[in-house]
Amino acid sequence: MHPHPQQAPHVSVVVIGYDDVAHIADAVRSALAQGPAVREVVAVDDCSSDGTFELLTRLAGTEPKVRVIRRESNSGGCGSPRNTGIDAVTSPYVMFLDSDDVLPPGAVDALLAAAVKERAEVAGGLCVRRELPSGREVPWQDRLYAENTVLARPAELPRLVHDTLCVNKLYRSDFLREHDIRFPEGRFPYEDFVFTARVLAAGPRLALVPEQVYVWHVRRSAEQLSISLDRAGIDNWRARIEASRTAYEILLNAGQKELARAARAKFLDHELRMYARELGLRDAEYRSAWWTLTREYLTEYDAADWALNPAAPGRLLARVVLASPEPRDLPRLRELAARPARLCPPYVRAEDGTPIWSRDLPQLTLEPYLTRAVELLPLAVDGELRPRTGDTRLRLRLHEMYGRLAEAGPEALEVEWRHREEGSTAQRATLPLTPGADGTWSAETPVDLAALGAGTWDLRLHVRLADGTARETTAHARTGDGRLRRSAVASLRYGVLLVQPYATHSGSLSVRVAAGVRGVADVLRNRLRRLMR
């Protein structure tokens, strides 16, 4: 009989940190607060110089469960200190925690209970990304953790390769040691990719739980961005490709062909789309290098990789990159990389009527879109917001796509504005679609800016079809004169509103609203500060 997990001290939590004196104590305390199931908290300091080690030493003096290990030199990454922790733990199970994150209450109990009950070598749960300072939380790969699930082997659920995090899981210590599963040493960005691939390659029994077990703090305003956020340099993309390639090879060499192919598909759907959305923010030198690196990596894909789900947006994006030696069609690719994807015009056909990407790339066909379910098509909607005192209007235009929409009979657009930080929604409406002579459908609605209030609002749409199905999408941001301007609008409630429709990194229509004289003054002050830098 296994002891009750809430009574037996079965778990070691490895906390790693480097020059993070401001946050690491909170991380350690969140591990200690998990209760009696935690036998020890092994805090590994990666040779900090800001007082992190001294803080941990003082904390260990008052907390007998805390054990501090100081590395003699800084490793330059997260893998080496975690390996130090793996070597040091004395408990049957181990978890990992980064110094700037926290474990929510009950995390260890939820994972340990599942691991013990199901005799699983690995137990995983839901991680949420908490944006700071707003506190907005976004679940990470929540489809995997919608319900309690037990897998005899990872291949039963290939989508597991999408969750590359190591921190939202509990591992049997002897399982890691038996299979020599470790992180890459030294400076190796995206070390989680490799570690997770090694775990999956070993074929563990897994238990997945719907409980929230990890809070990933996202600090975009930090002086030193985390590796996952610091994507401005081409070395970051090079590292991401190398980590993805290594993960694929680990799975393939272990005979996990289905998981290996899923990992390649994940690169197209996640990595490629994320970085393609941001290409417009980079200079020509970066874009050229990015294009070259991406083409080189994609040449490693085989026919079976391309055959899987050929209508997926990431695959079409990748095919465009492969078909051209130089960067091209970046605005259109950005729209295709959006979530949900938008395939914007022009909708070109070859001489035989086959849909193609463009006339100068006739070999790049779009035939899969002729048979894909309409509710899964990357539909394109243009959105135009014109702020005016007393009469702000939102104009929407839905584009036809090779005759598929006319067959489905688009009837209405369901519209809502979603507050980016709070997640609340406002001004929901269902707008009838009016067909136009140019093969498009249009709709229009007033927008009460004062009712929206201060903050950043994202436009969300559902295209309602005649058979009752719907396709979720967003709107491509545009204005009549090609510019998105900031406007001052009189308001009975606030006196004045400062309104700026704008395009997100993926080209989607959003709007920023500053309310009242104080809100407007803050915007102008921040703008002046940026100009003076």
Side-chain angles (χ1 to χ4, degrees):
M1 290 290 292
H2 290 285
H4 192 283
Q6 292 184 341
Q7 297 176 349
H10 274 351
V11 179
S12 296
V13 180
V14 174
V15 182
I16 64 166
Y18 169 67
D19 280 359
D20 199 10
V21 70
H23 306 116
I24 196 166
D26 290 338
V28 171
R29 290 190 181 102
S30 76
L32 292 170
Q34 297 298 308
V38 173
R39 174 183 295 177
E40 61 184 355
V41 177
V42 179
V44 182
D45 172 59
D46 201 10
C47 199
S48 298
S49 59
D50 70 339
T52 294
F53 173 69
E54 290 77 12
L55 173 64
L56 290 173
T57 301
R58 291 194 299 272
L59 192 57
T62 61
E63 297 286 352
K65 287 186 177 182
V66 176
R67 185 153 53 99
V68 182
I69 300 174
R70 179 176 173 83
R71 290 177 51 83
E72 294 182 357
S73 61
N74 178 253
S75 68
C78 297
S80 294
R82 290 200 189 115
N83 288 338
T84 299
I86 292 174
D87 293 337
V89 298
T90 62
S91 305
Y93 296 91
V94 61
M95 285 186 71
F96 302 105
L97 172 60
D98 290 349
S99 62
D100 54 349
D101 300 331
V102 294
L103 298 179
V108 168
D109 281 347
L111 292 173
L112 182 58
V116 170
K117 177 183 177 183
E118 306 298 343
R119 304 183 308 282
E121 286 92 0
V122 179
L126 181 65
C127 167
V128 297
R129 291 165 52 106
R130 179 179 293 164
E131 299 274 350
L132 297 176
S134 70
R136 174 176 175 249
E137 293 188 348
V138 179
W140 169 260
Q141 297 297 330
D142 50 333
R143 286 172 52 186
L144 292 172
Y145 303 104
E147 58 186 7
N148 288 297
T149 305
V150 180
L151 304 169
R153 54 192 180 89
E156 293 178 5
L157 186 60
R159 189 173 176 82
L160 283 170
V161 300
H162 284 253
D163 184 8
T164 52
L165 299 181
C166 72
V167 289
N168 60 331
K169 301 175 184 71
L170 179 81
Y171 308 88
R172 278 202 65 92
S173 304
D174 57 3
F175 167 76
L176 297 182
R177 291 167 179 153
E178 177 186 351
H179 295 279
D180 194 27
I181 297 173
R182 301 175 70 79
F183 294 87
E185 290 283 348
R187 173 71 180 174
F188 191 102
Y190 304 108
E191 76 291 332
D192 279 20
F193 286 33
V194 174
F195 180 84
T196 299
R198 288 171 175 165
V199 169
L200 297 178
R205 181 176 174 85
L206 299 104
L208 311 180
V209 301
E211 285 84 4
Q212 184 183 132
V213 301
Y214 197 85
V215 178
W216 174 4
H217 285 148
V218 179
R219 296 179 171 89
R220 299 185 189 275
S221 60
E223 289 187 16
Q224 179 62 49
L225 292 174
S226 67
I227 290 172
S228 61
L229 296 180
D230 191 10
R231 297 192 292 267
I234 194 63
D235 284 345
N236 182 278
W237 181 236
R238 184 179 287 107
R240 194 112 183 188
I241 287 177
E242 183 56 31
S244 298
R245 176 188 285 118
T246 303
Y248 167 77
E249 292 172 350
I250 289 169
L251 293 168
L252 189 65
N253 292 337
Q256 301 280 3
K257 293 183 179 180
E258 191 172 5
L259 291 176
R261 203 166 299 288
R264 279 197 162 168
K266 176 251 185 187
F267 176 84
L268 301 182
D269 183 62
H270 183 66
E271 274 76 26
L272 188 64
R273 291 175 71 177
M274 176 169 58
Y275 283 72
R277 289 195 296 270
E278 299 174 350
L279 282 179
L281 305 175
R282 314 302 181 209
D283 59 24
E285 181 180 1
Y286 175 98
R287 291 196 293 267
S288 179
W290 184 93
W291 200 269
T292 299
L293 286 169
T294 305
R295 294 184 83 234
E296 290 174 352
Y297 181 51
L298 292 177
T299 59
E300 300 174 15
Y301 280 49
D302 59 29
D305 292 324
W306 296 113
L308 183 66
N309 195 6
R315 276 176 177 71
L316 177 55
L317 200 163
R319 288 164 58 209
V320 174
V321 174
L322 266 180
S324 177
E326 300 293 338
R328 59 169 292 157
D329 303 335
L330 297 186
R332 198 176 184 211
L333 291 178
R334 178 187 69 173
E335 303 282 337
L336 186 62
R339 293 192 182 276
R342 298 184 297 269
L343 179 61
C344 291
Y347 302 118
V348 182
R349 292 182 185 268
E351 292 184 2
D352 64 358
T354 302
I356 55 176
W357 176 261
S358 63
R359 297 200 184 281
D360 61 333
L361 292 178
Q363 75 276 21
L364 211 167
T365 71
L366 306 184
E367 287 183 287
Y369 291 126
L370 296 180
T371 55
R372 190 171 178 82
V374 176
E375 63 270 19
L376 299 178
L377 289 175
L379 303 180
V381 179
D382 293 335
E384 180 182 346
L385 183 67
R386 291 190 174 183
R388 294 176 180 171
T389 299
D391 187 31
T392 296
R393 313 289 295 185
L394 172 66
R395 295 184 174 90
L396 300 165
R397 185 174 62 162
L398 171 65
H399 292 274
E400 175 61 282
M401 185 183 294
Y402 297 113
R404 297 298 313 285
L405 268 179
E407 295 175 2
E411 294 183 338
L413 278 176
E414 296 177 356
V415 178
E416 71 175 21
W417 293 95
R418 186 176 302 167
H419 196 284
R420 184 173 300 172
E421 304 299 338
E422 299 175 359
S424 58
T425 58
Q427 297 192 43
R428 294 180 176 177
T430 300
L431 313 177
L433 283 166
T434 302
D438 60 350
T440 64
W441 293 262
S442 60
E444 184 173 326
T445 185
V447 177
D448 186 347
L449 297 171
L452 288 182
T456 299
W457 296 85
D458 298 317
L459 181 63
R460 294 290 185 267
L461 307 170
H462 282 85
V463 180
R464 183 65 61 185
L465 305 174
D467 63 0
T469 60
R471 172 57 161 146
E472 181 183 3
T473 188
T474 53
H476 162 68
R478 63 178 300 164
T479 62
D481 59 6
R483 297 180 62 190
L484 294 168
R485 292 192 177 95
R486 183 183 285 117
S487 305
V489 176
S491 167
L492 291 176
R493 181 183 300 181
Y494 296 105
V496 64
L497 297 169
L498 193 61
V499 184
Q500 184 179 22
Y502 77 101
T504 65
H505 293 342
S506 61
S508 303
L509 178 62
S510 295
V511 60
R512 298 187 184 99
V513 181
V517 175
R518 179 176 296 179
V520 172
D522 287 342
V523 171
L524 297 178
R525 189 180 302 111
N526 290 336
R527 183 182 183 189
L528 180 61
R529 187 180 297 118
R530 288 194 298 270
L531 292 174
M532 293 177 63
R533 286 178 179 173

